Amino acid sequence: MTGDEFENVFDDLLNGDEELKAFCQVLQEQVPQAFIQLHGDNGVVLPEVAAQPCSAEGVAELLAKTRAAGGRPVAAQGQAGEWCYGLRVDKISAVLLFSLPGRSDNLLVEPHGRQLLQGVIDYALLQQEQQLLKIENEQIFRQIAVLKQKHTALIEDNFRQYRLIQDKEKEYARTLESEIARQTAELRNTNARLEEASRLQSEFLANMSHELRTPMNAIIGFSDLLLELKLDKESREYAQTIKNAGMNLLVLINDILDLAKIEAGRIELEHAPFDLRETVDNVASLFRIPAREKKLSFMVEIAPQLPALLYGDNNRLRQILINLVGNAMKFTAAGEVAIVIGLQSLASEQAQVVFSVRDSGIGIPPERQQAIFDKFTQADGSTTRKYGGTGLGLAICHQLVQLMGGSIAVKSVEGEGSSFFFTLPLKVARPDAVVAPRPEPEGRAEGNMQAEAASVRSALRVLLVEDNPVNQRLASIIIKKQGCELAVAGDGIEALAQLEKHVFDLVLMDVQMPNMDGLEATRRIRKIEASSGARAQYAGLRNRTKPLSIIGLTAHARKEDEQSCYGAGMNGFLTKPIIRARLEAVLAEEAEACNLGRPQGPAA
Ligand code: ADP
């Protein structure tokens, strides 16, 4: 076989097989002194590395041997006496031949040589692989570097954004903080102003209440006393007119003050157990006589399934009912007036109670039925002339019902009658709940109490502390008429001076007075009572077995006034204008407590 023939057969392979060429190069680098020839299995020589280390016969022999050896290194001596070595490279399907000039020994036969060659081949392969790996590695490194760069850029970008957001957040927080601070300050300011305004309003209401009630006290009280005297018919009529006008005025004053209080949000609703039947009976009792006088049938109907005790504001409920029944009486000339109370629902201790006040009176035209709940509004312009009134009663009812969480409405047919009804959600109280003391009559019903009076048999020693001369005189007359011994002081200082010299069973202490007010005077008295040294100097406090009874007289019927009376050490209080019956009841109670005698029953 000639070299040309080999070339022809393996042309394609050799030109195409880059891998083989690369391997050959590696081998040449590793074994530089060697002539290296690469033959395909059929003896084609790789042109680029071709050399002629030995004769064609030697090569042929070697090829045959290496083929037979299946890849193990073999050696053959050529004709020129040169050795050539062969190695079958299975992986690349070729036979590698080389000769080392100057080495005529059988290199491949010696173990050392074999090892060397094997090492070279392995090394060459390894190096090639390593080279590839290195390249791959470098590529990976390059990729990693690129990724790293991208990553770093990304992180930096992120960080920048984060810082930006943070800065913005801080900035925002700062603006927000200062805005909040500004608004808080503004709110505080507004709040303080509102509180001040509200305080002034309360104070004004309290003062108005005092200023208006004080003269009313005198007008009603003295006309009442006047009516007890022997009068001719005409004088009696005048006195009665003054008294009636005074009572009407008192109702008006109470209404206006009440509405002002409600509108100022200054009303505190009671939440205490009360007996609904008792409340309704009490209201009804005020109207039985007027109904009889007008020849009206007057009916009260209370659903039997209503719980005995409920939680709520008994006095305010009473006030609403008195207003409605009062109107029904006023606007009904014939027929009936009825109070009907029913239970709408009862679930989980919560009762929905329906109150209705029905009459067969003049009725209300449909277009006025809504407006009458507004203040100062009457069904028609002639009402005032014909029936009197101010148009405040229903406005107060409406507001109170709303405050209690209910609603009020009217159904009416002109000329046939009206039915006012309201519902209230009222919590059911346990049957053993402690019921509040009997309601204190006030407002529209006050007048009715004037008739019930009680007198005291024996001498109760009373100290009246009151600065207003008219009130002083009125109270003095009432107290003396009860057979009590009376001393009068114009303020707290005078009261203490009286107590130094005289003994009393009861002090009636006005709250608002010049020099030393009633609260301060009471605190001083209690302090003196507590110290045996100081007590010795006061005849009125020295030998007492129990603390001196002090009843406050206050024009302010507000909750806080009540609290300050008790807080100062008073035993109770009476609101002004003094209602004769109530003052007499206090005197009677005190007389009984002092074992001075029992109330004699209604006064003449
Ligand atoms: P006042 O009765 O003092 O005028 P109210 O607010 O109690 O004030 O009532 C407003 C108006 O509603 C009354 O003036 C009257 O015109 C009408 N009204 C109230 N209740 C009745 C009733 N039962 N029958 C007819 N009209 C009534």
Side-chain angles (χ1 to χ4, degrees):
M1 223 194 298
T2 66
D4 284 336
E5 281 171 307
F6 289 143
E7 270 173 55
N8 290 340
V9 178
F10 270 93
D11 253 359
D12 287 349
L13 166 76
L14 294 173
N15 289 335
D17 200 342
E18 293 302 316
E19 202 179 342
L20 207 58
K21 281 186 218 166
F23 175 71
C24 218
Q25 240 162 9
V26 169
L27 202 62
Q28 244 173 357
E29 276 166 26
Q30 296 307 313
V31 196
Q33 311 94 315
F35 295 97
I36 297 168
Q37 239 183 350
L38 201 61
H39 292 259
D41 270 1
N42 45 9
V44 173
V45 180
L46 211 87
E48 286 89 339
V49 290
Q52 286 299 317
C54 49
S55 66
E57 300 83 73
V59 170
E61 187 192 342
L62 199 64
L63 277 173
K65 281 186 181 171
T66 55
R67 231 172 261 142
R72 284 213 319 273
V74 288
Q77 197 169 24
Q79 281 169 341
E82 282 178 335
W83 283 90
C84 79
Y85 306 92
L87 181 70
R88 186 173 173 81
V89 185
D90 285 321
K91 272 193 183 164
I92 50 180
S93 303
V95 174
L96 181 71
L97 296 176
F98 61 97
S99 64
L100 292 168
R103 293 287 305 253
S104 56
D105 51 338
N106 188 349
L107 181 70
L108 299 174
V109 176
E110 315 168 27
H112 172 70
R114 225 171 14 239
Q115 260 173 16
L116 174 76
L117 279 172
Q118 265 175 352
V120 164
I121 301 299
D122 288 350
Y123 182 71
L125 283 170
L126 273 177
Q127 223 194 12
Q128 197 197 11
E129 272 173 30
Q130 192 197 6
Q131 197 65 25
L132 287 173
L133 281 176
K134 215 164 136 190
I135 291 165
E136 226 171 86
N137 214 18
E138 269 166 17
Q139 273 172 354
I140 290 174
F141 266 115
R142 257 199 308 279
Q143 280 173 354
I144 289 177
V146 170
L147 280 178
K148 226 174 177 174
Q149 221 171 13
K150 278 188 187 163
H151 189 225
T152 314
L154 216 72
I155 287 180
E156 275 170 8
D157 197 41
N158 266 354
F159 190 64
R160 251 198 316 278
Q161 302 251 14
Y162 170 72
R163 289 278 296 273
L164 219 73
I165 290 172
Q166 234 182 10
D167 284 353
K168 273 192 184 151
E169 264 177 6
K170 271 186 199 149
E171 174 71 25
Y172 184 63
R174 266 197 299 277
T175 349
L176 207 68
E177 257 167 40
S178 70
E179 182 59 15
I180 288 173
R182 195 184 62 75
Q183 289 194 3
T184 311
E186 212 170 79
L187 278 176
R188 272 212 194 101
N189 254 335
T190 316
N191 209 19
R193 274 205 309 275
L194 282 176
E195 259 169 29
E196 176 63 10
S198 156
R199 197 187 56 77
L200 287 176
Q201 195 177 7
S202 281
E203 218 165 73
F204 175 75
L205 279 177
N207 286 339
M208 275 304 274
S209 168
H210 182 74
E211 295 307 320
L212 293 170
R213 280 161 179 262
T214 305
M216 288 320 298
N217 189 21
I219 294 169
I220 297 172
F222 278 108
S223 48
D224 214 28
L225 289 172
L226 194 60
L227 284 166
E228 282 178 18
L229 302 179
K230 263 196 169 21
L231 297 177
D232 60 55
K233 194 164 166 268
E234 197 180 357
S235 310
R236 174 163 300 276
E237 200 184 306
Y238 295 161
Q240 189 63 53
T241 310
I242 294 172
K243 188 184 167 186
N244 290 350
M247 304 251 276
N248 287 341
L249 196 53
L250 189 60
V251 168
L252 174 61
I253 290 167
N254 281 334
D255 278 357
I256 290 176
L257 290 174
D258 241 1
L259 201 65
K261 245 199 301 191
I262 295 171
E263 286 181 349
R266 293 258 143 208
I267 211 157
E268 281 171 50
L269 288 179
E270 196 80 48
H271 184 76
F274 71 98
D275 184 334
L276 183 61
R277 280 179 188 79
E278 196 185 300
T279 302
V280 176
D281 284 347
N282 179 274
V283 172
S285 71
L286 299 175
F287 294 99
R288 288 229 161 79
I289 297 170
R292 208 176 306 140
E293 282 169 357
K294 283 185 95 173
K295 299 194 169 55
L296 296 174
S297 117
F298 184 53
M299 190 190 78
V300 180
E301 204 181 286
I302 303 176
Q305 64 270 35
L306 266 164
L309 298 184
L310 293 161
Y311 275 99
D313 192 324
N314 181 26
N315 280 326
R316 292 299 179 180
L317 173 60
R318 206 170 152 274
Q319 187 181 354
I320 298 167
L321 287 172
I322 289 173
N323 266 331
L324 296 180
V325 181
N327 278 346
M329 290 282 175
K330 186 160 83 172
F331 295 107
T332 307
E336 62 143 17
V337 168
I339 307 176
V340 181
I341 306 197
L343 182 65
Q344 192 177 63
S345 66
L346 178 66
S348 39
E349 302 300 287
Q350 181 81 34
Q352 278 285 346
V353 183
V354 198
F355 300 81
S356 71
V357 177
R358 197 177 65 212
D359 66 58
S360 58
I362 60 169
I364 302 156
E367 70 279 5
R368 300 299 293 161
Q369 287 179 10
Q370 193 51 47
I372 50 168
F373 292 105
D374 296 339
K375 57 187 170 182
F376 301 115
T377 309
Q378 299 184 318
D380 88 77
S382 65
T383 307
T384 315
R385 260 172 289 133
K386 206 161 154 196
Y387 298 97
T390 57
L392 286 176
L394 286 179
I396 292 173
C397 290
H398 178 61
Q399 302 257 20
L400 284 176
V401 168
Q402 265 188 344
L403 273 177
M404 292 177 175
S407 55
I408 185 166
V410 64
K411 269 192 195 146
S412 179
V413 177
E414 253 185 300
E416 286 182 19
S418 314
S419 176
F420 283 83
F421 47 93
F422 61 100
T423 39
L424 290 182
L426 296 170
K427 230 181 122 220
V428 178
R430 288 161 45 128
D432 59 348
V434 181
V435 176
R438 267 184 66 85
E440 292 263 304
E442 65 173 51
R444 296 190 173 205
E446 242 165 27
N448 302 54
M449 286 297 289
Q450 306 260 351
E452 307 161 22
S455 69
V456 177
R457 186 180 285 150
S458 359
L460 188 72
R461 291 160 294 183
V462 179
L463 173 60
L464 172 69
V465 192
E466 162 71 68
D467 63 311
N468 181 307
V470 181
N471 286 346
Q472 224 181 54
R473 182 147 164 64
L474 178 61
S476 302
I477 297 170
I478 297 172
I479 295 165
K480 279 186 186 155
K481 277 196 167 218
Q482 288 294 301
C484 303
E485 270 177 33
L486 180 74
V488 178
D491 58 35
I493 295 171
E494 282 182 26
L496 285 166
Q498 289 271 9
L499 282 167
E500 253 185 300
K501 297 189 206 95
H502 309 290
V503 179
F504 297 99
D505 302 305
L506 173 68
V507 178
L508 293 170
M509 181 79 84
D510 188 17
V511 171
Q512 245 180 15
M513 286 181 298
N515 305 323
M516 184 192 286
D517 68 22
L519 298 176
E520 180 57 24
T522 305
R523 278 192 285 269
R524 296 226 182 163
I525 291 169
R526 296 301 181 220
K527 211 165 152 195
I528 294 164
E529 281 180 329
S531 128
S532 53
R535 206 169 53 217
Q537 295 166 29
Y538 285 80
L541 303 172
R542 196 156 43 214
N543 296 319
R544 299 189 57 84
T545 49
K546 64 179 184 75
L548 182 60
S549 282
I550 306 175
I551 300 290
L553 304 175
T554 169
H556 312 326
R558 296 175 305 174
K559 206 144 198 99
E560 60 256 43
D561 300 309
E562 178 184 341
Q563 277 160 2
S564 45
C565 282
Y566 286 117
M570 291 181 180
N571 303 87
F573 72 98
L574 283 173
T575 48
K576 290 207 276 189
I578 290 172
I579 292 167
R580 193 168 163 186
R582 274 197 239 154
L583 176 54
E584 285 170 352
V586 166
L587 296 174
E589 235 169 70
E590 202 52 44
E592 198 174 359
C594 298
N595 288 323
L596 290 172
R598 304 186 62 77
Q600 270 186 335

